[in-house]
Amino acid sequence: MSLLDRLFGSKRSSPQGGMTRTLGKQVRDLEAQAEGAPPGTRGTLLNRAGDVCMRAGDHEKALEYFRESIDLLLEDEQPEPARGVAKKIIRVHPKTVRTHCTLAWLNLATGQTAGALASLRDYVDAAQQQDATDRAGPHILEMARVTTDRAFLQEVGAALKTLGFHREAETVGEWIEAGGSPESQGKPGRLRRYCFRAAVASTVPPRMG
């Protein structure tokens, strides 16, 4: 099933909370526009639908639209708007582990070192609180594998120790001394492409069972 089939092929739940008839019509109109819109505008329209739901107090519905917006923005290769929507999700649902992971990758992809450090710390905190450390550890190690930024690598080493990945933390320490892992994406363009692909992959829910 394609991404668009997944987003638009099934009927969404009806808006809840304080959604008035007028606001509900705005949401439906934005959704219909997004379904027929060309690439580059679809994610923006669903982001606006999420904003309408937020104003109506329907946070769960807003999160649904924001998550779909990120999927489409990433598919349309718009990392900066996707970062903005990810931050909205985190403001509404601070402990959403996957979104913290996505935001960390997007910050790396767009060269936002300070943002990457902050989102990494938030990712670790959310993973601990949501009992998702086993999944978070490999993602964080992969972030260290591709970057040569010393401050970020040091933060990754501390994060891995916090999550109980002591052997991996030692490996990152070796990469710090060597100026990066053997697989680091030294050129900015290569790093951006790699991190962007990782951000896209991070939005896919893990298989269960």
Side-chain angles (χ1 to χ4, degrees):
M1 178 181 291
S2 70
L3 174 62
L4 287 177
D5 288 339
R6 178 167 63 82
L7 297 186
F8 298 118
S10 59
K11 185 177 179 181
R12 288 185 178 85
S13 58
S14 299
Q16 303 294 323
M19 186 72 73
T20 65
R21 182 175 299 179
T22 300
L23 291 178
K25 183 178 186 304
Q26 289 181 25
V27 169
R28 290 191 296 273
D29 287 347
L30 288 166
E31 184 176 329
Q33 291 174 46
E35 186 170 357
T41 61
R42 303 171 300 172
T44 300
L45 290 164
L46 290 185
N47 180 31
R48 288 168 57 190
D51 288 338
V52 172
C53 293
M54 283 294 293
R55 290 197 296 272
D58 191 345
H59 290 186
E60 289 303 315
K61 189 70 174 175
L63 286 172
E64 181 181 340
Y65 281 112
F66 288 151
R67 289 187 178 113
E68 293 176 357
S69 173
I70 288 180
D71 284 344
L72 289 172
L73 289 168
L74 291 177
E75 185 183 73
D76 294 341
E77 299 187 0
Q78 298 186 66
E80 284 290 354
R83 283 179 66 242
V85 179
K87 290 179 180 179
K88 285 185 183 181
I89 292 176
I90 289 169
R91 284 197 295 270
V92 179
H93 187 7
K95 300 309 176 186
T96 176
V97 179
R98 275 194 293 130
T99 306
H100 281 296
C101 181
T102 301
L103 184 56
W105 279 116
L106 286 173
N107 280 326
L108 284 175
T110 53
Q112 306 288 332
T113 303
L117 287 168
S119 54
L120 174 60
R121 295 180 190 118
D122 291 339
Y123 181 26
V124 171
D125 182 55
Q128 287 180 299
Q129 295 198 32
Q130 299 297 320
D131 195 25
T133 57
D134 286 349
R135 292 201 303 272
H139 278 288
I140 293 170
L141 180 63
E142 188 64 18
M143 292 175 192
R145 192 185 305 279
V146 299
T147 184
T148 58
D149 185 276
R150 187 176 184 89
F152 188 80
L153 288 170
Q154 290 172 335
E155 190 68 30
V156 166
L160 289 170
K161 286 180 182 178
T162 297
L163 296 176
F165 290 84
H166 298 287
R167 182 183 302 174
E168 289 80 359
E170 291 178 2
T171 298
V172 172
E174 294 171 2
W175 293 344
I176 292 171
E177 293 302 316
S181 85
E183 301 166 67
S184 61
Q185 307 294 310
K187 296 181 178 179
R190 291 177 59 190
L191 177 63
R192 176 185 172 88
R193 288 191 296 273
Y194 189 97
C195 293
F196 184 78
R197 289 195 298 269
V200 172
S202 73
T203 67
V204 180
R207 292 185 177 182
M208 304 301 292

